[in-house]
Amino acid sequence: MILMDHLLLKQHDAVLAVTLNRPEKRNALNDAIVNELSEVFTALDSSVKAVVITGEGEHFSAGLDLSELTERDAMQGVQHSRMWHRILDSISFGPVPVIAALHGAVVGGGLELAAAAHIRVADRSTFYALPEGRRGIFVGGGGSVRIPRLVGVAMMSDMMLTGRVIDAETGERKGFAQYLVDEGAAMEEALRLANIVAQNAPMTNLAVTQVLPRIADASADQGLMMESLMAAMAQDAPVAKERLRDFLAGRAKKVGEE
Ligand code: 1HE
């Protein structure tokens, strides 16, 4: 276990658990904590094949540390937002898949962080909100790009304009989370999923985390070409050939078997 100033790191076999560890401030994301996230995600050990990110205490994260916001002028604001983009991109487009285990508040920048992960598991205490609208600000951590991809522009507009809080059940139905579990069970489920993800061929994980979102952004024509190139690369890897041989020889699991 490694204790950084604001993060707690613990490796379970091939899965690294990263815990936001500032519960006294509801894991509000100040510059120090996002910089520590950057340190972790840009220097992952090659033994790490998947990451789970969660929060200590009652809440995943209360978002941007508002006490630091008052200090910035417009120019510094742009630079600060661009820093968040770089750091959250290091999560979205890092070397391995990332699963967010959510509970309590997942609000503002906390929701932007959760949206940078590839899968979200929420327990029943989870709630989602974008208080930026009511606080006279805007999202700055990539939320306007990532959140509409999960729940659509209409839902994000509603949350920002009205301050609407989305509960865990509605959040799962609308697409914030892919899994809804009992209170207190998000981390266990996220680790279980991360262990499955960690066993995938690395090229497949790379294709899903790095290429799929870019195909989604591209024109259909470019997307189809990227898909063909990625498919060819993935199937050419020795691990793919071995797994296909295993299936044909009856040695591999069937669909639905874990
Ligand atoms: C904070 C923050 C914060 C708590 N920045 N200090 N985010 C928000 O607008 C959400 C603001 N927070 C809340 O609405 C509530 O704190 C919660 C619903 C999340 C939790 O409530 P509760 O009752 O458990 O905690 P609390 O008593 O409100 O807060 C405990 C302490 O955390 C308190 O400090 P203390 O010194 O008085 O004990 C709070 O001030 C502190 N705290 N949230 C700073 N966010 C990249 S752009 C993204 C833009 C945004 O994220 S805007 C959304 C900001």
Side-chain angles (χ1 to χ4, degrees):
M1 192 193 309
I2 299 174
L3 190 59
M4 299 173 79
D5 284 346
H6 300 300
L7 297 179
L8 184 65
L9 308 181
K10 197 169 174 190
Q11 193 162 342
H12 311 251
D13 300 321
V15 177
L16 179 69
V18 177
T19 304
L20 307 172
N21 192 20
R22 212 186 165 212
E24 68 289 356
K25 294 288 181 188
R26 308 309 183 250
N27 297 320
L29 300 164
N30 59 9
D31 285 358
I33 200 165
V34 287
N35 278 311
E36 284 191 1
L37 283 171
S38 172
E39 268 178 57
V40 169
F41 280 91
T42 51
L44 286 174
D45 190 82
S46 59
S47 63
V48 174
K49 305 293 183 206
V51 173
V52 172
I53 182 160
T54 192
E56 185 63 38
E58 301 287 300
H59 301 281
F60 175 72
S61 172
L64 182 71
D65 189 316
L66 293 171
S67 68
E68 290 185 351
L69 184 66
T70 52
E71 309 294 324
R72 280 182 223 116
D73 63 21
M75 192 64 199
Q76 290 165 327
V78 173
Q79 284 163 347
H80 184 262
S81 168
R82 298 300 287 162
M83 173 188 83
W84 267 65
H85 292 167
R86 269 194 311 279
I87 293 173
L88 294 199
D89 270 3
S90 75
I91 297 175
S92 289
F93 298 122
V96 298
V98 180
I99 301 179
L102 306 176
H103 65 288
V106 182
V107 307
L111 180 50
E112 294 182 289
L113 173 60
H118 304 101
I119 301 174
R120 281 149 295 280
V121 179
D123 86 3
R124 288 184 188 280
S125 71
T126 306
F127 57 95
Y128 309 89
L130 291 167
E132 288 89 338
R134 310 302 294 291
R135 305 223 187 276
I137 55 175
F138 190 58
V139 287
S144 61
V145 170
R146 290 195 178 97
I147 294 169
R149 292 200 177 132
L150 299 179
V151 297
V153 173
M155 171 62 92
M156 181 169 178
S157 304
D158 180 14
M159 291 169 76
M160 290 201 73
L161 292 173
T162 67
R164 180 175 176 185
V165 176
I166 306 290
D167 66 28
E169 284 77 14
T170 311
E172 190 239 3
R173 229 175 31 246
K174 298 285 185 189
F176 275 123
Q178 286 63 56
Y179 296 83
L180 178 64
V181 296
D182 287 343
E183 200 167 327
M187 189 58 182
E188 190 187 340
E189 178 66 355
L191 287 171
R192 187 184 73 79
L193 294 167
N195 274 304
I196 295 172
V197 168
Q199 291 163 36
N200 290 338
M203 189 75 91
T204 302
N205 281 345
L206 185 99
V208 173
T209 60
Q210 310 244 3
V211 182
L212 179 60
R214 290 180 166 106
I215 292 176
D217 280 346
S219 68
D221 183 52
Q222 290 168 340
L224 291 173
M225 189 64 209
M226 280 196 268
E227 179 185 276
S228 296
L229 294 173
M230 190 61 242
M233 275 177 71
Q235 75 195 29
D236 199 39
V239 60
K241 296 192 191 314
E242 185 188 319
R243 287 183 183 204
L244 293 174
R245 265 197 311 275
D246 282 351
F247 177 75
L248 294 173
R251 290 192 296 266
K253 287 174 183 156
K254 293 187 187 177
V255 170
E257 290 176 350
E258 272 186 16

